[in-house]
Amino acid sequence: MSADVSPEVPMTGRPQPDGQAADTSTVPALTVTDVSKSYRGRDRTRVLAVDDVSFTIASGAAVSLVGASGSGKSTLARLITGSERPTSGSITFGGVTVSRLRAGGQRRLHRQVQMVFQDPYGALNPLHTVEYTLMRPGENYLGLTASQARDRVRDLLETVGLSPARQFAPKLPHQLSGGQRQRVVIARALACDPGLLVADEPVSMLDVSLRAGVLSLLADLRRDRGLSLLYITHDLLSARAITDEVLVLHHGRVVERGPTRQVLRQPQDSYTIQLLEAVPNPFVRPGNHVIR
Ligand code: ADP
Ligand code: MG
């Protein structure tokens, strides 16, 4: 089945200085077509990590990829960001085939498609200040001078809710809480002005009390900056807060897809029902009777 990111997804674009509606035609969209990825396992058997997956993310849209551990989510993320190539199938971003890029193309893709990883501590160099970490993408990808990049760090920190910026800029990662570190990682992802953010379990290592804040930040960024978002999670319920469409992945295959609220209220696939039964769900009673 080919992708069906819903037409009712609001098409948001980059905010225009004069407050006029943003032009979304320039924001690239992702297309994943019949993508499979296999690895050779330890005992030389083949592991099919991603099995014939197709979907699209429209410009400015947000899609959740949900599945248990080992279902192929991170593999798909690596294929989309171009750090690995699919065994078969193709991935295009803004019309460019990601799976065939050479070095220069990889670099342009890297600017356009940014990752937010699960572990915010591992993602940051412990020896670099927040300011240094956030200046680099501006200098490397946008050609900013050091002073321009430094000014931009202030804006980035305020954007991700680390305010006042001057308080956070000189800090090292260990001087920040987990939630603050993940906000720095998100700011770094934004620093080169990407079109697509791939967030791979961005809150699963955070204290429960911090999760909602980071998720709503991602939702706000997507809305305010016209970003496309692929939100990867094992927690189907968290998809509700952040995306309009959901894909459920099981053993590398998409077993269910649809508008998030619909999948939560009336899951069709037995695996989706299983995923929902693992967490308290305000919409579905045990036995899958929908509460209206
Ligand atoms: P998830 O992110 O959903 O937990 P992964 O994409 O990490 O799932 O893994 C999917 C499957 O592919 C698992 O069975 C995993 O063991 C296997 N796998 C992932 N990466 C590799 C690799 N580099 N070599 C061999 N097997 C891998
Ligand atoms: Mg993973």
Side-chain angles (χ1 to χ4, degrees):
M1 184 164 57
S2 90
D4 57 347
V5 170
S6 70
E8 71 266 24
V9 172
M11 297 285 282
T12 54
R14 291 175 200 292
Q16 303 294 292
D18 58 4
Q20 287 176 1
D23 174 15
T24 56
S25 59
T26 56
V27 183
L30 180 78
T31 307
V32 174
T33 310
D34 303 332
V35 163
S36 296
K37 176 72 179 177
S38 61
Y39 297 106
R40 197 177 283 270
R42 245 175 262 141
D43 52 0
R44 301 196 130 255
T45 55
R46 215 169 54 105
V47 179
L48 193 53
V50 173
D51 184 4
D52 200 22
V53 168
S54 297
F55 66 98
T56 62
I57 303 182
S59 299
V63 173
S64 287
L65 187 61
V66 183
S69 175
S71 58
K73 306 182 298 295
S74 296
T75 301
L76 207 40
R78 288 193 298 274
L79 299 175
I80 289 167
T81 55
S83 67
E84 287 182 20
R85 294 185 182 214
T87 310
S88 60
S90 78
I91 298 172
T92 64
F93 182 74
V96 174
T97 303
V98 169
S99 35
R100 275 196 235 122
L101 290 176
R102 292 177 191 281
Q106 280 282 358
R107 191 177 146 78
R108 280 192 294 279
L109 178 77
H110 190 60
R111 190 198 140 182
Q112 279 292 317
V113 180
Q114 283 284 309
M115 280 286 294
V116 175
F117 298 95
Q118 185 175 13
D119 173 11
Y121 200 86
L124 295 173
N125 186 322
L127 303 175
H128 291 167
T129 63
V130 168
E131 180 174 73
Y132 182 87
T133 296
L134 297 183
M135 279 175 71
R136 296 304 297 277
E139 292 173 309
N140 289 345
Y141 288 98
L142 304 182
L144 302 183
T145 64
S147 115
Q148 289 169 330
R150 200 168 289 117
D151 285 347
R152 198 173 150 80
V153 169
R154 266 207 310 273
D155 293 343
L156 288 165
L157 286 172
E158 302 282 346
T159 300
V160 298
L162 295 176
S163 180
R166 66 175 180 284
Q167 191 182 310
F168 291 95
K171 295 236 154 94
L172 290 165
H174 79 267
Q175 297 172 307
L176 301 172
S177 72
Q180 290 168 342
R181 271 181 237 144
Q182 195 60 307
R183 286 170 190 266
V184 172
V185 173
I186 293 168
R188 181 178 60 185
L190 295 176
C192 45
D193 218 6
L196 171 68
L197 217 54
V198 178
D200 190 356
E201 310 227 31
V203 298
S204 59
M205 283 180 71
L206 300 184
D207 191 275
V208 173
S209 63
L210 300 171
R211 292 180 185 177
V214 172
L215 284 183
S216 76
L217 169 65
L218 287 171
D220 291 350
L221 289 172
R222 173 242 166 164
R223 193 192 55 233
D224 298 343
R225 300 172 74 101
L227 278 173
S228 304
L229 176 68
L230 179 62
Y231 170 62
I232 296 176
T233 181
H234 60 268
D235 172 13
L236 184 43
L237 278 186
S238 73
R240 188 171 38 125
I242 191 165
T243 58
D244 318 280
E245 290 281 331
V246 62
L247 298 166
V248 180
L249 207 61
H250 183 41
H251 294 322
R253 287 191 79 86
V254 176
V255 293
E256 180 153 3
R257 68 176 79 207
T260 307
R261 289 187 76 85
Q262 186 183 313
V263 172
L264 283 171
R265 283 178 186 273
Q266 289 174 310
Q268 302 297 310
D269 186 83
S270 58
Y271 177 69
T272 315
I273 293 167
Q274 224 177 300
L275 276 183
L276 279 169
E277 280 175 351
V279 287
N281 184 345
F283 297 129
V284 181
R285 284 200 189 103
N288 195 27
H289 297 301
V290 177
I291 301 169
R292 302 210 183 265

